[in-house]
Amino acid sequence: MDHTILEAILRISDVLEGILDVYPGQFAAALEKLGTSVLTLEELIFIGSGTSDTSARTSSPVVSFFSGLRTTVLWPAQLERMLSQITRPENTNGLNRRGLYIFTSQTGTSKLTSAMMHQVDAAGCLTLSITESEDTPLAKTSAAHVVMGCGQEAFLMRTIGYAASCLVHTLLALRVEDARTGEPIAFLSNYAVHCVAGFLNDCGDGRSFLSADIAGEVSRALEAEYPGRSEEHTSELQS
C-alpha cells in the first residue's frame, strides 16, 4: 500500500501496463455477455460522479474518435431525472436502446450509480460497469463488468483510478469498434534495431535525400494498405 501520494503517482505506469496485459481477454469476455447487440451500437454513454465523471469527460473525445460512435457523459443525477419521467415501459424518454450505458465507480459503492444502472437495465438497454475489482457491490450485480485494474488506493484523491479509468474507457472504445467492424484500429511496432539501410525520401522540390527512417518507411507502407481515418477526423481529434 502506498504511504504517500508521490508513491501512488510513481506506480501509475506499472498499473497501466498491467491493464494493457489483460485487456484483450477481459474486454472480450465482458462484451460477449452483452451479445450481438454490441454489433449495432450507435452511442456510448458514460455515467459516473467525482473522479469517474472527470475521467470520462477527459477520455470521451478519444473514445468517440476511436469507436466512431456518439459519446455522451452524464452525471447519475442527470440520468435519474431522465428516468423519473418514464411513465410507461414503452416510453424510454431519451434512453437509447442502441446505446451502451457504462457505469464507472472505482469502489463500486455509489448507491445512486448502482440504482441508475439497474433502472437502465430494467428499461431494456445494454449496461456495463467498471470498478476496481470483481468483488465490489456494483460488479456483483452487473450484467457485464470490467475490472478497472487500479487496485485499492490509500488516498481519497483517486490518482491511480483516474489514470486507469481514462485508459480503460479508451480500450473499451477500441474493443467495441473491433467487434463491430473487425478492421484493424492501430498497429504497434517496436523497432529494436539500429537501421543500417538507407531510404529514399522526396524533399518535394525535385530533390531527394537518404535517411535511416525505418519507422517512417514502415508507416508509409502500412498507410498505403490501410488509409485509416481521414485527415479531417485527425485534425478534429487534435483540436
Side-chain angles (χ1 to χ4, degrees), residues 12 24 55 75 97-98 100 114 118-119 122 146-147 152 158 172 185 197 199 209 232:
I12 288 176
S55 61
W75 292 304
R97 292 192 180 278
R98 293 183 64 183
L100 174 59
S114 178
H118 294 142
Q119 287 191 44
V146 170
V147 176
Q152 292 185 336
R158 302 303 189 187
L172 179 62
I185 296 173
F199 299 101
F209 69 96
E232 178 183 349

Side-chain angles (χ1 to χ4, degrees), residues 48-60 73 75 162 166 169:
S49 56
T51 303
S52 298
D53 172 72
T54 305
S55 61
R57 294 182 188 279
T58 300
S59 58
S60 61
V73 182
W75 292 304
Y162 169 77
C166 288
H169 291 163

Side-chain angles (χ1 to χ4, degrees), residues 45-48 53 57 72-85 93 95 112 116:
I45 305 97
F46 291 91
I47 301 96
D53 172 72
R57 294 182 188 279
T72 305
V73 182
L74 297 173
W75 292 304
Q78 287 178 291
L79 186 56
E80 183 180 35
R81 285 195 297 273
M82 190 188 286
L83 291 170
S84 69
Q85 299 175 41
N93 195 59
L95 290 182
L112 182 56
M116 293 305 98

Side-chain angles (χ1 to χ4, degrees), residues 114-234:
S114 178
M116 293 305 98
M117 183 184 73
H118 294 142
Q119 287 191 44
V120 172
D121 189 59
C125 297
L126 291 181
T127 61
L128 177 144
S129 68
I130 301 173
T131 72
E132 65 187 16
S133 81
E134 297 281 5
D135 297 323
T136 65
L138 192 63
K140 290 179 178 179
T141 58
S142 299
H145 176 255
V146 170
V147 176
M148 192 180 293
C150 61
Q152 292 185 336
E153 286 197 65
F155 306 98
L156 291 177
M157 297 75 72
R158 302 303 189 187
T159 307
I160 297 176
Y162 169 77
S165 295
C166 288
L167 178 58
V168 169
H169 291 163
T170 303
L171 293 175
L172 179 62
L174 292 171
R175 193 67 188 85
V176 165
E177 174 67 1
D178 183 52
R180 290 171 62 241
T181 67
E183 296 178 355
I185 296 173
F187 293 95
L188 302 179
S189 301
N190 181 29
Y191 301 97
V193 296
H194 292 286
C195 188
V196 293
F199 299 101
L200 192 63
N201 292 266
D202 185 2
C203 295
D205 57 359
R207 297 181 300 168
S208 300
F209 69 96
L210 288 174
S211 77
D213 180 19
I214 186 172
E217 192 67 18
V218 172
S219 293
R220 281 187 288 274
L222 286 172
E223 288 168 2
E225 187 70 23
Y226 298 98
R229 302 288 188 186
S230 67
E231 292 183 2
E232 178 183 349
H233 287 142
T234 302

Side-chain angles (χ1 to χ4, degrees), residues 19-32:
I19 294 171
L20 291 171
D21 287 339
V22 302
Y23 112 85
Q26 182 184 190
F27 280 64
L31 293 183
E32 185 177 357

